[in-house]
Amino acid sequence: MRNITLVGFMGTGKTTSGKILAKRLGYHFIDVDEEIEREQGVSISHIFSELGEAYFRMLERDFIKALSFREGLVISAGGGAVIDERNIQSMKLSGVLVCLTATPDTIMKRVGSSRNRPLLKVPDPLARIKNLMGAREQFYRKSDFTIDTTAMTPGDVADEIIRLTAGMI
Ligand code: S3P
């Protein structure tokens, strides 16, 4: 059973849809951020503020690589994981890469005031979302499939992923 890794910007529903998807497929669900928090014993915000983003990216890369040796997983990767080509390679090696998207306004509504999104702790989070999204578009495009979740429920997203990846996992 090959893995399905969900990538995409913060607030596109990777974790919510991923959990439903895993249940429907009988796969094991893994949220990379949650696992890093569990292993390190501190929040992502704490890692960013005390140890720096580069340190977080190293933990993220190591964890994604380790997951590529396992199978039967639905993996929710953090929104910035795609920036590192090594992560794309690891994720594609073990399965299918599905990118979830949503409009900046939708993302703002979903996670704009989240306390555990250090990159959005700025005076104008919507501008930050638009900016980061634009800069990352080229990386998200490397996914095997892209689903715009703006007008979809997490259950619909899970079904669409099952439909798209049929025969590939
Ligand atoms: C990040 C997204 C977050 C988390 C970290 C950095 C990003 O994950 O990994 O705050 O760079 O976009 P989610 O996409 O699960 O919110």
Side-chain angles (χ1 to χ4, degrees), residues 135-161:
R136 290 177 176 179
E137 210 193 322
Q138 54 175 318
F139 303 107
Y140 290 134
R141 242 187 272 131
K142 296 181 183 179
S143 305
D144 297 303
F145 300 106
T146 300
I147 301 171
D148 182 354
T149 69
T150 305
M152 292 171 84
T153 65
D156 290 343
V157 174
D159 283 342
E160 180 64 359
I161 295 171

Side-chain angles (χ1 to χ4, degrees), residues 10 14 33 44 48 56-57 60 78-80 117-119 136:
M10 294 170 258
K14 302 180 293 287
D33 287 344
I44 298 292
F48 266 72
F56 170 76
R57 296 297 173 201
E60 184 178 51
R117 294 317 198 292
L119 293 175
R136 290 177 176 179

Side-chain angles (χ1 to χ4, degrees), residues 105-119:
D105 286 336
T106 306
I107 288 176
M108 182 65 195
K109 272 187 222 134
R110 291 181 187 165
V111 295
S113 57
S114 157
R115 282 206 263 124
N116 205 20
R117 294 317 198 292
L119 293 175

